Amino acid sequence: QVQLVESGGGLVQAGGSLRLSCAASGRYAMGWFRQAPGKEREFVAAITWSAGTTFYEDSVKGRFTIFRDNAKNTAYLHMNNLKPEDTAVYYCARHSYGTVWTRHTEYDYWGQGTQVTVSS
């Protein structure tokens, strides 16, 4: 049974920072998505298993950093300069196939989600 366990969400003021963690075993690329109330789930960032390549959604480029520690089987999403529009439930997911990293159908296992709330 594959399990992805997320942690690190919370409430932060605009301009603040948070770091999300996702514990997952196996040699897979990983991604982060988010879903705000009333909106569709959207891609945030992804990273290959070797960490040689990363991908970001345009609105988070320069503010968010995805990285991983394979010795700890953990992927991270470090978020700086948070904005109220970043408020959402954040999910990590295991990338199973394909090359369109933004497409959620290319991910087969998902974490339970962690709430990130940014106050203005």
Side-chain angles (χ1 to χ4, degrees):
Q1 182 75 16
V2 176
Q3 285 190 314
L4 279 66
V5 181
E6 300 150 349
S7 60
L11 172 64
V12 65
Q13 289 188 329
S17 299
L18 281 175
R19 178 175 292 184
L20 307 182
S21 301
C22 176
S25 60
R27 298 167 63 99
Y28 289 89
M30 298 295 295
W32 288 94
F33 286 73
R34 65 186 179 186
Q35 188 166 19
K39 295 187 177 181
E40 293 186 353
R41 189 169 299 190
E42 67 171 357
F43 172 79
V44 176
I47 186 168
T48 56
W49 184 84
S50 66
T53 306
T54 56
F55 306 87
Y56 294 95
E57 193 268 331
D58 285 346
S59 70
V60 307
K61 285 180 181 177
R63 299 189 299 123
F64 291 12
T65 302
I66 187 171
F67 62 101
R68 65 191 302 160
D69 183 341
N70 289 335
K72 296 182 179 180
N73 291 324
T74 302
Y76 302 91
L77 183 69
H78 188 79
M79 306 181 291
N80 287 329
N81 191 21
L82 282 160
K83 303 176 180 180
E85 51 264 42
D86 295 318
T87 295
V89 177
Y90 283 70
Y91 299 88
C92 68
R94 189 181 79 171
H95 187 260
S96 61
Y97 76 97
T99 59
V100 182
W101 296 83
T102 60
R103 187 180 295 162
H104 68 87
T105 53
E106 295 191 357
Y107 298 79
D108 58 355
Y109 287 94
W110 295 78
Q112 80 284 1
T114 185
Q115 178 71 46
V116 171
T117 303
V118 185
S119 63
S120 58

